[in-house]
Amino acid sequence: MNYILFDPAKRDNLFPINAIRPVASIRVGMLTIQEKWETFLKGEISVLVPNYLAEKYIAKVEEKNLYINASLLPKSAVVSEILILKEGHKLMKGDELIAFYGGPMAWNEMEETVATLTAIEAIHDVAFIRYTWNIIEQLNVELKNDFNLLLDRFKQQDLPEYTTAIVPEKILMGNNVKLGACILNASDGPIVIDDIAEIMDGAMVKGPIYLGKNSCIKMGAKIYGPVSIGEHCKVGGEVIDTVFQAYSNKGHDGFLGHSYIGEWCNLGADTTISNLKNTYDPVRLWNYAAGGFDHTKMQFLGLIMGDHSKTGINTMINSGTVIGVACNVYGSGFPRNFIPDFSSGSSRKMNIFLCKDVFKMARAMMNRRNLELSEKDEKILSWVFENIREMHP
């Protein structure tokens, strides 16, 4: 069977973290959603996305395909229900579509196709990533679930004698890992260190933690799990309950908690994010689709940062702040709790960050990783500039 993960109709609820990528590419735990499904289904899976993403992310379609909601986190029980789904039927959980059979189609044709199918109600509980803060809510559980999925990919290895390990049987490493005189504590959850990753001297790391390929935890860092650090990241200072999608840096001191950081982001030295209001009230968070702030019911929630965004040194960020795609935030004082995509400035004034300037900045950062900003990437960013900015007040 050919499997395809489709972006849900209400994908706007996840902006800005999926503004330039499929929902399936979002990291939740140690793996992206797509990687989780490929592990469960033991094969490659493609994605079905809106037209502006379709040139870069191409769906591999056949005459018969099993389409699965990309915001659904795979669990054995619901996967079993999906796999016995018959042609002409769709699997639902309440009013949310889980999966359906279909032929080749574009993303914007999906709703019309699905409307003609017979609904089957799912029996088992399901977990969706409907909103950005769900990634933080699910992080602890998903890190531990992914650890079990990855057991056959990694191995337990002897640690250097100068590395302190607590519950070493829950510490797994890939190839060519470099460890300094650090402390690794897996008593509360596993620690997985992927290929060519490094943990420097003096770092204190408490699981559950995932450190991705070619990533580094800097000297003296304090990392409290649950934390997931994607590939090619540098992380220092104090971090708790946070996901780094990939290719992003927080290389210096400063606190970061209960947050999601996209790709190609950089947090300047001593950037500090509040994850708790002084009043201890639940945190509200900007929702692009609603055009207003949602009540998350979460007491701890920090920063949601879109791709290609940066902060200057000593930047202060309030709890429940959303920074959109391609923003440059600096200066004294607290900026507003929602910074629209392609914005540049401080708490005093924000200006439009033009595409040509964003492209110049992105090329400079990507060149440091021997990568290039492709024409497809430029088209996607330009679409976000021209369309998603219109969703802002």
Side-chain angles (χ1 to χ4, degrees):
M1 176 55 62
N2 186 48
Y3 302 104
I4 299 174
L5 293 170
F6 66 86
D7 273 25
K10 296 180 180 180
R11 68 185 306 276
D12 294 3
N13 286 320
L14 287 166
F15 282 172
I17 65 175
N18 63 325
I20 68 170
R21 68 169 52 83
V23 172
S25 296
I26 297 172
R27 187 177 303 280
V28 185
M30 298 183 185
L31 302 172
T32 66
I33 297 173
Q34 184 171 354
E35 289 169 341
K36 294 173 190 288
W37 279 101
E38 289 176 340
T39 303
F40 263 88
L41 299 175
K42 297 179 171 57
E44 291 187 4
I45 302 174
S46 64
V47 295
L48 184 67
V49 293
N51 291 344
Y52 80 96
L53 294 171
E55 185 178 351
K56 181 176 180 179
Y57 302 97
I58 301 171
K60 298 177 182 178
V61 296
E62 297 179 0
E63 285 304 310
K64 294 182 180 180
N65 310 279
L66 182 53
Y67 292 88
I68 302 170
N69 190 331
S71 67
L72 176 69
L73 300 179
K75 311 294 180 187
S76 295
V78 71
V79 170
S80 297
E81 289 191 72
I82 291 171
L83 294 181
I84 62 172
L85 192 63
K86 297 179 180 179
E87 289 186 55
H89 293 86
K90 57 186 175 185
L91 187 64
M92 305 289 294
K93 191 67 175 181
D95 60 355
E96 291 195 77
L97 177 63
I98 293 176
F100 68 96
Y101 272 102
M105 70 184 74
W107 183 80
N108 59 355
E109 299 170 341
M110 188 173 59
E111 185 176 357
E112 183 178 349
T113 299
V114 170
T116 65
L117 303 177
T118 302
I120 304 295
E121 183 70 15
I123 299 172
H124 296 92
D125 291 334
V126 295
F128 288 101
I129 299 299
R130 299 182 179 94
Y131 302 96
T132 53
W133 63 86
N134 295 153
I135 297 170
I136 310 305
E137 289 179 317
Q138 297 287 340
L139 181 55
N140 189 39
V141 170
E142 287 301 306
L143 280 167
K144 294 174 180 177
N145 289 342
D146 289 349
F147 175 76
N148 294 323
L149 290 178
L150 295 173
L151 282 173
D152 59 343
R153 297 191 198 176
F154 295 93
K155 55 186 177 181
Q156 190 176 353
Q157 303 178 37
D158 293 332
L159 302 173
E161 62 180 14
Y162 46 76
T163 298
T164 301
I166 301 169
V167 194
E169 61 270 21
K170 288 188 178 181
I171 300 173
L172 301 181
M173 294 188 292
N175 298 316
N176 301 312
V177 167
K178 186 177 180 181
L179 297 178
C182 55
I183 299 173
L184 306 179
N185 184 349
S187 59
D188 287 344
I191 297 173
V192 174
I193 308 167
D194 217 323
D195 300 344
I196 326 177
E198 179 180 8
I199 302 179
M200 291 183 171
D201 299 326
M204 295 177 284
V205 178
K206 195 175 193 324
I209 297 286
Y210 171 72
L211 183 62
K213 294 178 180 178
N214 293 285
S215 286
C216 176
I217 293 177
K218 303 289 288 295
M219 292 181 67
K222 295 174 284 187
I223 314 295
Y224 308 80
V227 168
S228 178
I229 301 170
E231 63 268 21
H232 291 277
C233 293
K234 296 179 182 178
V235 177
E238 185 177 4
V239 179
I240 184 172
D241 273 274
T242 292
V243 174
F244 291 83
Q245 178 73 20
Y247 292 98
S248 289
N249 297 329
K250 181 202 173 297
H252 306 285
D253 286 342
F255 175 75
L256 175 65
H258 296 83
S259 298
Y260 169 93
I261 307 298
E263 291 188 5
W264 305 110
C265 298
N266 188 74
L267 302 182
D270 290 320
T271 292
T272 289
I273 285 82
S274 168
N275 66 338
L276 176 67
K277 299 177 71 171
N278 285 352
T279 59
Y280 298 92
D281 289 333
V283 177
R284 298 188 310 151
L285 200 72
W286 182 262
N287 182 317
Y288 280 61
F293 289 92
D294 275 337
H295 294 277
T296 68
K297 301 181 181 179
M298 294 180 66
Q299 190 175 51
F300 290 91
L301 190 58
L303 168 66
I304 304 296
M305 176 177 269
D307 299 81
H308 295 286
S309 287
K310 314 286 190 288
T311 65
I313 62 171
N314 296 313
T315 304
M316 300 184 297
I317 304 292
N318 253 319
S319 52
T321 293
V322 174
I323 297 178
V325 172
C327 293
N328 184 25
V329 184
Y330 52 85
S332 62
F334 289 96
R336 59 184 290 196
N337 285 54
F338 170 57
I339 300 174
D341 306 87
F342 292 85
S343 296
S344 179
S346 66
S347 59
R348 295 182 179 180
K349 184 179 180 181
M350 283 287 173
N351 299 306
I352 295 177
F353 203 6
L354 297 176
C355 280
K356 64 181 181 63
D357 298 319
V358 169
F359 295 164
K360 180 181 177 181
M361 178 185 71
R363 289 191 192 100
M365 188 173 187
M366 295 176 76
N367 284 341
R368 298 178 65 191
R369 299 279 191 246
N370 297 316
L371 296 172
E372 294 182 355
L373 185 72
S374 70
E375 184 178 345
K376 293 176 183 178
D377 292 325
E378 290 185 6
K379 287 181 180 179
I380 291 171
L381 285 167
S382 296
W383 188 95
V384 172
F385 180 85
E386 294 167 4
N387 292 273
I388 297 182
R389 276 193 62 86
E390 297 301 319
M391 302 172 66
H392 304 325

